[in-house]
Amino acid sequence: MSRVLIIGCGGVAQVAIRKCVQLSDVFTDICIASRTKTKCDALAKELAPTTKTNITTAQVDADHKEEVVALIQSYKPELVMNIALPYQDLTIMDACLEAHVNYLDTANYEPEDIEEPSWRAAYEKRCQEKGFSAYFDYSYQWAYRQKFADAGLMALLGCGFDPGVTQAYCAYAKKHEFDTIDTIDILDCNGGDHGYAFATNFNPEVNLREVSAPGSYWEDGHWVEVPAMSIKREYNFEEVGMKDMYLLHHEEIESLANTIPEAKRIRFFMTFGQSYLDHMRCLEDIGMLSTTPISFEGQEIVPIKFLKALLPDPATLGPRTHGKTNIGCIFTGEKDGEKKTYAIYNICDHQACYKEVKSQAISYTTGVPAMCGALMMLTGKWQKPGVYTVDELNPDPFIAALDQYGLPHRENHHPNLVD
């Protein structure tokens, strides 16, 4: 039925690929492409006996548009799933436009080199105009809206869990549970334990830059920025227990401020243990989170890339991670003239994920929505020209697919609120 090119073969990509080949009636042909083709070959060899999907592999450097264009023109897919690095989003979007194919990713664009002069100038202008200083935001990809619309192509941005599923939960709440939404709190709890003194559950470059940035939230029509990790709350998560969580800047707040404009406040919280925070602060203090190249013994290295090489690969954490995640949204608002509260969320077990797809739950909760988003596009449930975030689309078929393929939602009509 469909040919799909999947760029990336890391932990999240491997989950998405394993889930795609479970639906071989839709994903009849896939090509797995990465800078390191041997990883693609090994996965393809493992999966081939288990599926009717025809799996091929290719080598591609997604930093170079011409390589991506050549691969797309050769393979002729109906959809490109970008599950590589967010640094490469714009390059792959440009390639999709030139080769005329639809596009999907799991995280919005941020630059690899934050000191590049032209980018830095645009960034500083945005900081002044919008009031938040995170390096990632939607503006670069939203700038492609008219280009994709004119080409008759669709680009789906941030179709992981958060962003992605959390935005679908918000769209679902707006459609079915509320007439008006007053507040949204997005809570991301990982109650898993991998046994290492310090490791990140997804790409260290992306993870450490995200959590070390100043926090921010949307309130009364504008951004409020606060120092990193300066707002802490405790929350009792179902099947996980009481955890410390910290307010972060997160990309879905930016899109939700547009799609749910009546919301008076939108916040994002993520849980962290004290050991993780101590390690992160130490690494930041000594410059190991920097993206600025330094000269060392005659070679140029980027500190955070060197750190990534030292840390455990997130794709290897599955067999040793135990516990559960609990991720979702809590709302306040009104329905039929009455005040109400509501929560919608998912609980995912690390070891159950490993048993199914050899992954811990963090990669699983991102890879499954990527597959479900692709399923929506390929089956025509989500298909219209332009650039969209998940909260702009009908949440019902997407949430139904998540329920069916590994991430069933739960609801609570009397949740504990975050103060």
Side-chain angles (χ1 to χ4, degrees):
M1 179 181 175
S2 302
R3 294 169 69 83
V4 177
L5 170 61
I6 301 174
I7 300 178
C9 198
V12 172
Q14 290 194 28
V15 171
I17 293 161
R18 290 176 185 275
K19 298 298 287 191
C20 287
V21 302
Q22 292 177 11
L23 281 74
S24 55
D25 56 331
V26 175
F27 298 89
T28 52
D29 297 84
I30 65 170
C31 176
I32 310 168
S34 173
R35 189 174 294 163
T36 308
K37 186 174 180 292
T38 53
K39 291 173 63 176
C40 307
D41 293 338
L43 182 60
K45 182 178 179 181
E46 177 191 344
L47 294 178
T50 71
T51 180
K52 294 180 180 179
T53 300
N54 180 41
I55 307 171
T56 57
T57 65
Q59 193 280 331
V60 70
D61 185 343
D63 288 330
H64 299 290
K65 184 186 78 168
E66 63 276 9
E67 288 192 29
V68 182
V69 169
L71 178 57
I72 295 171
Q73 290 177 336
S74 171
Y75 188 66
K76 295 180 173 57
E78 296 169 51
L79 173 67
V80 172
M81 297 176 66
N82 168 17
I83 317 182
L85 293 171
Y87 311 146
Q88 298 163 329
D89 287 357
L90 303 187
T91 302
I92 299 174
M93 290 181 79
D94 285 332
C96 287
L97 282 169
E98 184 170 330
H100 200 78
V101 65
N102 296 310
Y103 169 91
L104 174 152
D105 67 34
T106 60
N108 68 4
Y109 172 73
E110 63 178 291
E112 185 169 14
D113 179 8
I114 61 173
E115 300 302 330
E116 193 278 322
S118 62
W119 178 85
R120 194 77 196 183
Y123 163 75
E124 290 175 356
K125 182 174 182 289
R126 189 216 72 198
C127 289
Q128 292 178 347
E129 291 177 350
K130 292 195 173 182
F132 67 91
S133 59
Y135 295 134
F136 53 92
D137 74 286
Y138 279 118
S139 64
Y140 305 95
Q141 292 177 277
W142 281 344
Y144 283 69
R145 279 173 167 162
Q146 196 60 48
K147 293 179 183 179
F148 271 81
D150 290 345
L153 298 172
M154 180 175 179
L156 178 60
L157 308 182
C159 195
F161 204 105
D162 45 341
V165 176
T166 51
Q167 290 156 301
Y169 286 169
C170 291
Y172 181 90
K174 182 175 181 178
K175 181 177 180 179
H176 297 288
E177 297 292 334
F178 291 91
D179 296 324
T180 58
I181 292 174
D182 293 331
T183 67
I184 305 169
D185 280 329
I186 302 166
L187 310 187
D188 183 326
C189 169
N190 176 19
D193 182 5
H194 46 58
Y196 286 114
F198 183 73
T200 62
N201 291 294
F202 58 96
N203 185 288
E205 291 181 65
V206 178
N207 178 243
L208 291 169
R209 284 172 67 165
E210 175 183 298
V211 302
S212 62
S216 58
Y217 59 97
W218 185 257
E219 187 171 58
D220 295 330
H222 66 277
W223 288 97
V224 179
E225 186 165 88
V226 298
M229 302 296 178
S230 62
I231 295 180
K232 172 188 171 182
R233 298 289 187 269
E234 293 183 354
Y235 196 82
N236 190 9
F237 289 90
E238 182 182 341
E239 296 191 25
V240 176
M242 191 69 72
K243 291 289 183 180
D244 293 340
M245 62 183 189
Y246 297 82
L247 185 142
L248 303 181
H249 175 85
H250 225 247
E251 52 258 58
E252 61 261 56
I253 300 175
E254 188 178 6
S255 69
L256 292 170
N258 291 330
T259 54
I260 308 180
E262 74 271 19
K264 297 178 177 66
R265 189 187 68 207
I266 310 172
R267 302 183 295 186
F268 180 96
F269 291 90
M270 184 176 285
T271 62
F272 296 98
Q274 193 58 50
S275 176
Y276 181 97
L277 295 177
D278 290 343
H279 278 82
M280 187 190 74
R281 285 166 179 151
C282 178
L283 292 166
E284 184 175 27
D285 288 344
I286 63 175
M288 286 300 294
L289 304 190
S290 172
T291 60
T292 302
I294 63 169
S295 179
F296 177 73
E297 295 186 350
Q299 296 186 50
E300 190 176 81
I301 65 169
V302 176
I304 198 167
K305 288 183 177 290
F306 178 69
L307 175 62
K308 177 183 176 182
L310 295 176
L311 292 175
D313 182 349
T316 68
L317 297 178
R320 57 184 296 148
T321 305
H322 297 262
K324 297 180 180 181
T325 63
N326 182 322
I327 313 173
C329 306
I330 300 173
F331 305 88
T332 67
E334 289 190 6
K335 179 70 172 179
D336 298 328
E338 300 289 331
K339 297 285 188 183
K340 72 171 290 184
T341 61
Y342 172 73
I344 180 170
Y345 57 100
N346 166 263
I347 296 174
C348 198
D349 184 282
H350 284 285
Q351 282 299 297
C353 296
Y354 184 72
K355 183 177 180 180
E356 183 192 353
V357 295
K358 297 186 178 181
S359 161
Q360 34 84 1
I362 302 302
S363 293
Y364 190 89
T365 54
T366 306
V368 172
M371 181 279 288
C372 290
L375 181 65
M376 296 298 99
M377 295 176 71
L378 294 169
T379 57
K381 294 181 176 66
W382 288 355
Q383 190 53 261
K384 52 182 179 177
V387 175
Y388 300 94
T389 50
V390 173
D391 44 314
E392 297 178 278
L393 303 165
N394 181 9
D396 295 352
F398 182 60
I399 290 176
L402 294 169
D403 289 345
Q404 183 175 356
Y405 298 116
L407 294 174
H409 74 283
R410 304 186 186 190
E411 296 175 292
N412 185 343
H413 289 271
H414 302 284
N416 293 326
L417 303 181
V418 181
D419 61 24

